[in-house]
Amino acid sequence: MTTMDGFFTPSSVALVGATDKSGWSLSTFNNLRDPEHGYPGEVYLVNPRTEVVHDTQAYPSLTAIGKPVDLAYVMTPVSVVPQVLREGAALGTRHYVVLTAGYGEIGGEGAVHEQELADLAEELDLVVLGPNGNGFINAAMKINPYGLPIPKPLISGNVGVVLQSGGLASNVLAFAQARNIGVSLLTSMGNETVVSVTDVVSALVDDPNTKSIALFLEAIRNPEEFREVAARALAAGKPIVALKVGRSEKASRTAQAHTGALVGDDKTVDAVFKQLGIVRVESLEDLMVTAGLLAETGPLPGRRIGVVTPSGGASEIIADRAEMEGLDLPDFSPETTAALEVIVPPFATVANPLDVTGFVLLDRTLLGRAAEAAAKEPGIDLVVLLQDLPKATPSMEDTVAAYTANAQILANSPVPVVVMGNVLTDINEVGREITRASNYPMVLGGIEHGMAAIGHAVRWSETYRRAQERSGSGERAPVVPVRTQDATGVWAEHRAGSFLREHGVPIVPTELVSDAEAAAAAADQVGYPVVLKAAAEGLAHKSDIGGVHLGLVDAEAVSAAFNAMQASLAQHGHPDAEAIIQPMRSAGTELLVGVVRDPQWGPTLAVAMGGIWVEVMADSALRVLPVDRQEVREALEELRGVSLLRGARGMPATDLDALAAVIHQVGEIAVGLGEELESLEINPLLVHGDRIEALDALITWRADEDNGSAPGSDAEITDATERRRA
């Protein structure tokens, strides 16, 4: 990972390739020299063909400046960039922003130039942001080498923004300013040839001016680094909010098993983000509103909210959105109700959400006093207060006084108070002046985005607390390698089941037999009724060709079934097929437990309700391995069908901790098998009270020739994924 020490705080900047013909050059110069932005350092212009640029002295080269600069902002043609870097490195300049385009984004020769740039940076030990990027805005330190105009006012705050889109950077900044969301640092990444998103996020984790981090991601280039820096951010209590684009319906390449259909590319990203405590949002508005809220509040104590509004209609909208976000609206206690009845007008009804009515137009202190009383309710964790900032006021003095009084009440509240506007509109200069003068807190942009942000913030806070609890329980045990021989092809149920049993996974009793007499003896041993299934390599659709017999109740039935099975299989080219005998399970809940290797993130665990649940409802939860038992337990709790496991409709309740232990062991085996494993599936894992048994298993190994595609014919795949009925 590239160290960013000092990169975002240069005391001098050289604009190399500065010219009056370039809007980027003029914008960058103005951003550094604008008195409102207040950059205190030195700015040098470098152009070998003219002595004056932007009405300022220009130097023919970096060397001509006479001393090294802290940062070179490079706007020269592609062919000149290496020369600039070599000259600067010789002078002692290690930090560069390369605005120039024409690299890997155009392919062909551009990709060659980009590799040359990467090699040169490594050779000279240089830190390079870009190429094809606009630079950065360090609003907290008033340092803005950024190639596009910065809309005013530039509001400094605590949200760090990292974007893999130069075109969106200015829009994100404009929206943040329109909603009074202060930015600490905004970085436009460009091609990430040297400096990556994870490098910048790592710097923001260490930055005292940053309290939350907003990411716009098109791709995650280094998953391991990303996981590492996200874990650091969570441990530091710095929320990461991400808008990750590129959702795809394309399933994993290992979709030969049911698990593969559950573990698509974007579903795995969802799982990774959830595990790492990254808040995933769906719009640029939610990106900034959520990051702004988390920068303002930090971790929230819980999901029980009290709502105070001046509108009955707004109260109803908020109640609906709260339910959608999984937030609770508990009734006020008798004591709180009594306190509120003294405050609100007599025609108001005290309830949660509370509508204090339009009487706020006559009594400017009403909302604040109602919020103060609601905040003392012992059954809530935070108060949501609906109050917009005005766009005009007949008396700024009176308005500031009213908002100052409310701000003091909110600041002294025993629980956090989140202020929210009705709709997403810009905060104008009147609103900003009121905020500055009264020290009023951030106002979330509209009920829709505001409630979404509160829901995200509550869920992140719960993840953060769980992470804090886990951090005190010691480091995770190291991976224990699992050794096996002949890790090739597809291992169907008998071989896969035997392997899993040897490594601690409970498997239904299974006997391999080669004739009718042995089949009957095995059935006597395991107990009736039994299941007889053909066991032969490459056998497709066993049930279609007489290879599956269910509910056999005595030895005679077993012998007859075996003979019938052999005769049928012989007609289909399998005269020497063996069979397996297992007890017939007639009660329980089916689960699918599988692991597939995601191309980016590695082995990924899928837990799903089996049977029709997985085939029709796709009721599943994913975790990227490794995980601990508590994370598996949390995955089980996410399933919509978890009530079946808890004993719904007369079913015996399952010990979810014991079930999580079994699934966790499957994950440990998968991790221990290492890179050779492509996928591992148990389908179904049958759960009935205290009994937990795998009824069918499949293991697929990675092919040597491409180190990624799964071997095995369609026949092997279909055969191995047939479920044995419980």
Side-chain angles (χ1 to χ4, degrees):
M1 199 174 291
T2 303
T3 301
M4 304 298 294
D5 293 347
F7 185 90
F8 295 113
T9 56
S11 59
S12 58
V13 178
L15 306 186
V16 184
T19 171
D20 289 325
K21 299 177 181 179
S22 168
W24 281 293
S25 176
L26 181 59
S27 293
T28 309
F29 179 74
N30 287 340
N31 292 336
L32 288 167
R33 275 291 167 246
D34 191 317
E36 287 191 34
H37 298 331
Y39 175 54
E42 298 174 291
V43 179
Y44 301 98
L45 305 180
V46 176
N47 186 319
R49 294 185 175 86
T50 182
E51 296 181 356
V52 177
V53 177
H54 308 324
D55 296 325
T56 303
Q57 176 192 356
Y59 296 85
S61 65
L62 286 170
T63 303
I65 295 173
K67 56 183 176 180
V69 294
D70 290 338
L71 176 74
Y73 190 95
V74 184
M75 300 174 283
T76 66
V78 170
S79 60
V80 181
V81 172
Q83 174 188 331
V84 174
L85 267 59
R86 288 191 181 279
E87 181 186 10
L91 296 169
T93 298
R94 290 193 62 241
H95 297 159
Y96 298 82
V97 172
V98 178
L99 174 80
T100 308
Y103 287 89
E105 74 278 5
I106 66 171
E109 187 177 352
V112 174
H113 289 312
E114 184 160 334
Q115 185 58 54
E116 292 171 348
L117 178 62
D119 294 341
L120 182 61
E122 182 177 6
E123 173 193 338
L124 301 176
D125 189 26
L126 305 180
V127 181
V128 179
L129 177 63
N132 189 34
N134 289 319
F136 65 87
I137 298 170
N138 188 340
M141 304 296 290
K142 300 183 182 302
I143 305 170
N144 306 311
Y146 183 72
L148 293 173
I150 299 175
K152 298 179 182 179
L154 178 57
I155 303 171
S156 175
N158 302 118
V159 179
V161 184
V162 188
L163 303 117
Q164 286 181 325
S165 170
L168 288 179
S170 295
N171 302 104
V172 169
L173 183 62
F175 177 78
Q177 292 166 335
R179 289 306 311 169
N180 232 26
I181 300 169
V183 171
S184 57
L185 176 74
L186 182 146
T187 307
S188 173
M189 294 305 307
N191 292 6
E192 298 183 57
T193 304
V194 178
V195 173
S196 67
V197 164
T198 50
D199 297 327
V200 179
V201 172
S202 183
L204 291 173
V205 172
D206 297 329
D207 176 26
N209 295 314
T210 299
K211 294 183 179 179
S212 71
I213 300 166
L215 305 181
F216 175 83
L217 298 173
E218 295 172 335
I220 298 170
R221 303 176 192 275
N222 190 319
E224 281 306 312
E225 282 189 3
F226 188 83
R227 291 176 74 169
E228 177 186 334
V229 74
R232 277 214 314 126
L234 185 61
K238 291 195 176 184
I240 296 178
V241 184
L243 172 56
K244 168 68 173 68
V245 295
R247 290 189 181 275
S248 171
E249 295 181 359
K250 182 183 69 176
S252 167
R253 288 186 298 167
T254 56
Q256 71 274 10
H258 282 87
T259 308
L262 299 175
V263 188
D265 299 339
D266 200 65
K267 293 176 184 177
T268 305
V269 171
D270 274 340
V272 170
F273 282 13
K274 185 175 295 185
Q275 285 175 254
L276 296 174
I278 296 174
V279 176
R280 190 173 189 182
V281 297
E282 302 298 328
S283 69
L284 293 171
E285 293 86 352
D286 282 335
L287 177 69
M288 295 309 298
V289 171
T290 303
L293 172 64
L294 282 163
E296 180 96 356
T297 66
L300 295 173
R303 57 178 58 224
R304 302 172 301 173
I305 65 173
V307 178
V308 178
T309 84
S311 164
S315 296
E316 293 167 348
I317 297 172
I318 292 172
D320 288 346
R321 288 295 287 112
E323 182 172 313
M324 293 170 64
E325 295 293 337
L327 303 173
D328 299 328
L329 287 167
D331 293 335
F332 290 130
S333 65
E335 292 78 11
T336 302
T337 299
L340 286 168
E341 286 175 342
V342 174
I343 296 170
V344 301
F347 49 85
T349 300
V350 174
N352 187 21
L354 174 66
D355 171 19
V356 302
T357 77
F359 206 74
V360 292
L361 296 175
L362 300 177
D363 182 355
R364 292 192 175 196
T365 68
L366 178 55
L367 269 177
R369 290 185 293 118
E372 183 178 32
K376 295 175 182 177
E377 164 61 48
I380 65 170
D381 302 304
L382 67 148
V383 171
V384 176
L385 177 64
L386 195 71
Q387 185 174 34
D388 281 298
L389 289 167
K391 296 185 179 299
T393 176
S395 170
M396 180 64 77
E397 182 179 352
D398 290 346
T399 302
V400 167
Y403 274 82
T404 299
N406 280 352
Q408 291 172 347
I409 290 172
L410 305 186
N412 295 325
S413 170
V415 297
V417 179
V418 176
V419 185
M420 184 168 64
N422 284 276
V423 293
L424 183 63
T425 56
D426 291 357
I427 296 173
N428 66 3
E429 190 54 41
V430 171
R432 280 193 285 270
E433 177 58 31
I434 292 169
T435 300
R436 285 191 294 265
S438 65
N439 201 29
Y440 202 68
M442 172 188 175
V443 178
L444 294 182
I447 295 173
E448 174 62 29
H449 296 286
M451 292 302 294
I454 293 169
H456 287 312
V458 165
R459 290 186 289 274
W460 175 84
S461 301
E462 292 171 347
T463 301
Y464 171 67
R465 283 191 289 273
R466 287 195 297 267
Q468 294 294 100
E469 292 167 2
R470 287 194 181 106
S471 67
S473 60
E475 294 186 2
R476 187 186 185 278
V479 172
V480 178
V482 177
R483 305 297 182 190
T484 187
Q485 295 180 341
D486 189 26
T488 59
V490 176
W491 287 8
E493 58 187 293
H494 181 258
R495 193 175 184 186
S498 297
F499 176 80
L500 292 174
R501 182 187 294 110
E502 291 170 5
H503 291 86
V505 178
I507 305 291
V508 67
T510 303
E511 297 292 334
L512 182 66
V513 296
S514 56
D515 56 46
E517 183 179 353
D524 289 339
Q525 181 177 346
V526 302
Y528 296 98
V530 298
V531 178
L532 173 75
K533 294 181 70 176
E537 294 298 325
L539 181 59
H541 306 292
K542 290 190 292 287
S543 59
D544 293 346
I545 58 174
V548 178
H549 295 263
L550 306 176
L552 305 175
V553 296
D554 54 33
E556 182 178 354
V558 171
S559 297
F562 187 92
N563 291 328
M565 180 201 75
Q566 275 206 323
S568 178
L569 293 181
Q571 295 178 4
H572 291 86
H574 299 280
D576 300 320
E578 296 180 297
I580 57 173
I581 294 288
Q582 296 173 323
M584 181 78 177
R585 301 303 192 200
S586 58
T589 300
E590 292 183 5
L591 294 175
L592 180 150
V593 177
V595 177
V596 297
R597 182 169 297 281
D598 181 85
Q600 266 202 312
W601 302 100
T604 302
L605 173 70
V607 182
M609 301 302 296
I612 191 171
W613 290 83
V614 67
E615 294 171 1
V616 177
M617 303 298 292
D619 184 15
S620 64
L622 305 183
R623 294 293 185 274
V624 174
L625 297 174
V627 293
D628 58 30
R629 292 186 184 183
Q630 182 58 35
E631 288 176 282
V632 176
R633 171 65 189 261
E634 291 164 6
L636 289 169
E637 298 281 0
E638 291 175 14
L639 299 175
R640 297 192 297 276
V642 70
S643 58
L644 298 175
L645 300 174
R646 293 199 178 107
R649 302 184 66 84
M651 297 282 289
T654 299
D655 183 341
L656 291 180
D657 288 327
L659 177 57
V662 171
I663 297 172
H664 175 258
Q665 180 61 17
V666 174
E668 292 292 280
I669 293 169
V671 173
L673 287 170
E675 295 292 323
E676 293 179 310
L677 180 70
E678 180 68 38
S679 66
L680 183 161
E681 180 174 285
I682 296 173
N683 185 19
L685 181 69
L686 186 67
V687 180
H688 187 68
D690 295 333
R691 191 181 72 218
I692 303 170
E693 287 180 317
L695 302 190
D696 200 348
L698 167 73
I699 296 176
T700 305
W701 303 99
R702 301 181 78 182
D704 291 336
E705 58 268 21
D706 63 5
N707 198 32
S709 63
S713 66
D714 290 342
E716 290 175 310
I717 290 163
T718 305
D719 174 45
T721 54
E722 285 183 357
R723 273 197 326 279
R724 186 178 298 108
R725 291 302 306 166

